[in-house]
Amino acid sequence: MHIGGDEDEKQIAATCRDRVRAPGRRLCSIEKTKPRISCAAAQCDAKVTVSDSGGRCEPDYINPIDLRTGGGGPKMIKWTLDTPGYEFSREPFKFAILFETDPLDQFQDASVSKDGRTLTIRFNANPRKADEPQSFKYAITVRKTDERKTFCKTLDPWLLN
C-alpha cells in the first residue's frame, strides 16, 4: 500500500502479480488515473477485503490513501476488514501494519480493535516536509479467525503525503 507524492508514482508498487521479489525487485507503477482514497477530513477510511483461493488467502488491492487532501494536522487512518472470517494480526512478531520507512516518526499509536476488524494509526504531518511529496510503503497483515489462525499473504500498498 502506498501513501506518498506524485513524483514517487513511477516507483510505487500496486499489488502486481508479476512483480519480482527482492533483491531484483521490479515495482509496478500506479497510473495517475488510479482512484485514490481521499483523506479530506481528520479521518481516512479504507475497506479491506480478502480473497481465498485454494486455501491461500490474500488481502485484495487497496487504492492508495492520499493524505495530501483536506487540511493539515494529524489524521487518523482507519482500515476496516469487510470480509467475514478474517482479522488484523495483533501478534508483535507479525503485527497488522508495518512501515518500510518512517524516518520522521510520523506514524504513531497503531491499534487493532473491534475483535480484530479495525486497524487505526495516527499520522502527524511534518511541517518541515509539507512542500515535499512523500511516499510511505506499508504492509497489511491479516489472518483467518478459525482455530488455526493461519496468516494470509501480506499486502504491501502505499500512502501518499
Side-chain angles (χ1 to χ4, degrees), residues 13-109:
T15 302
C16 296
R17 303 284 179 221
D18 64 343
R19 100 175 133 211
V20 177
R21 295 286 173 204
R25 188 165 165 172
R26 181 178 33 169
L27 300 178
C28 306
S29 64
I30 294 178
E31 307 91 41
K32 291 192 182 281
T33 59
K34 183 70 81 178
R36 294 196 174 134
I37 297 170
S38 177
C39 201
Q43 179 171 304
C44 316
D45 295 300
K47 294 253 185 243
V48 178
T49 56
V50 180
S51 294
D52 196 326
S53 176
R56 297 191 63 190
C57 54
E58 178 178 2
D60 296 320
Y61 174 77
I62 300 170
N63 288 331
I65 299 170
D66 194 343
L67 297 173
R68 298 170 297 180
T69 55
K75 296 185 183 205
M76 290 300 289
I77 306 168
K78 180 175 95 172
W79 293 266
T80 304
L81 264 170
D82 206 30
T83 306
Y86 296 92
E87 66 185 3
F88 289 107
S89 173
R90 297 178 195 197
E91 299 295 334
F93 62 88
K94 197 165 184 174
F95 193 69
I97 191 164
L98 170 73
F99 282 85
E100 186 174 271
T101 60
D102 182 16
L104 300 174
D105 294 323
Q106 295 176 97
F107 295 94
Q108 300 170 352
D109 304 325

